[in-house]
Amino acid sequence: LLPTALIGHAAGGDDHSAAVNSIGLHLLGVCLWIGGIIVLALGSVLGLLIATFRMSKVKPLSWLADAYIEVLRGTPVLLQLYVFYFAMPDNVPEAVSIIVALVVNASAYISEIIRAGIQSIDGGQTEAARSLGLTQVQNMRFIILPQAIKNILPAIANEFVTIIKESSICYTIGVQEIMYAVASVKGATFSIAEPLIVATCVYFCLTFPTSKIIAHFERKMSAGDKRNGAEAINKKHERKAKMTKV
């Protein structure tokens, strides 16, 4: 739909072309959002596993996770897409290659985000959990991860925005997305400025609201932290006042 819509827009199409354009843009936005959520969810699960291996005391697992992260962070995502695309059997849809490539790439960055979030939790909480008889798995599930998620949520949300923008590379393997539509318009009308402007607006309309939502939740969480801190300080002053009276 979208290539036809953009061609009609660039060529000054009729009302029908404008309607198709609107439908195509809405469908594309929904598909990118759904695809980004799927990639983020799968990448977070894989990233948590890689982060666990990275922090493991078992040296081979730690080395393997470190090599995994360094290789994926040190190579372009376009190269990774080509590797998975040409490594897949011919009967596998291109969408599978795209999802696998983006999930693997995102997992390397998310694993470092998760590892930093876990290590930001005070070690005394782990000692307290052990003194209560909790196992390492219970400590991670009930004590560490709930606090770490709150710390890493903004970074994870920013990774979602990055995934949406990185989807633009998919046109290189013939998938009909925004940049593929731009190339189609250029070939059909010999016009490049209009489709690029439309593509810019589509990406901006997808990422800008997401960024604002992320900023809103960041303010909410920071406000909660400040409120809790203020309550703790007030209680401390009240205890000091009572001790002074005594």
Side-chain angles (χ1 to χ4, degrees), residues 16 26 34 42 57 70 74-75 79 86 89 94 99 113 138-139 160 186 194 198-199 206 221 223 225 237 244-245:
H16 179 265
H26 280 82
I34 294 175
L42 296 177
K57 295 181 179 179
E70 294 300 329
T75 54
L79 175 62
F86 290 109
E94 292 87 350
I99 291 175
I113 294 172
Q138 290 174 329
N139 174 45
F160 174 69
K186 179 184 176 182
E194 292 87 348
V198 173
L206 288 172
M221 289 188 293
D225 292 337
H237 287 323
T244 303
K245 290 179 180 180

Side-chain angles (χ1 to χ4, degrees), residues 18-80:
V20 174
N21 182 25
S22 177
I23 295 173
L25 292 177
H26 280 82
L27 288 177
L28 181 62
V30 171
C31 290
L32 283 178
W33 267 75
I34 294 175
I37 292 173
I38 293 173
V39 170
L40 184 66
L42 296 177
S44 297
V45 173
L46 183 57
L48 177 59
L49 181 63
I50 298 300
T52 304
F53 287 171
R54 181 79 183 272
M55 296 182 294
S56 174
K57 295 181 179 179
V58 181
K59 292 299 182 182
L61 290 179
S62 179
W63 293 338
L64 182 63
D66 188 60
Y68 176 91
I69 293 170
E70 294 300 329
V71 169
L72 291 175
R73 293 176 66 184
T75 54
V77 64
L78 180 60
L79 175 62
Q80 297 166 23

Side-chain angles (χ1 to χ4, degrees), residues 199-227:
T200 301
C201 292
V202 172
Y203 278 116
F204 181 78
C205 290
L206 288 172
T207 58
F208 183 73
T210 305
S211 302
K212 288 301 180 182
I213 293 172
I214 295 169
H216 172 72
F217 280 106
E218 285 180 358
R219 287 194 298 269
K220 295 272 289 185
M221 289 188 293
S222 62
D225 292 337
K226 290 178 181 178
R227 184 166 54 250

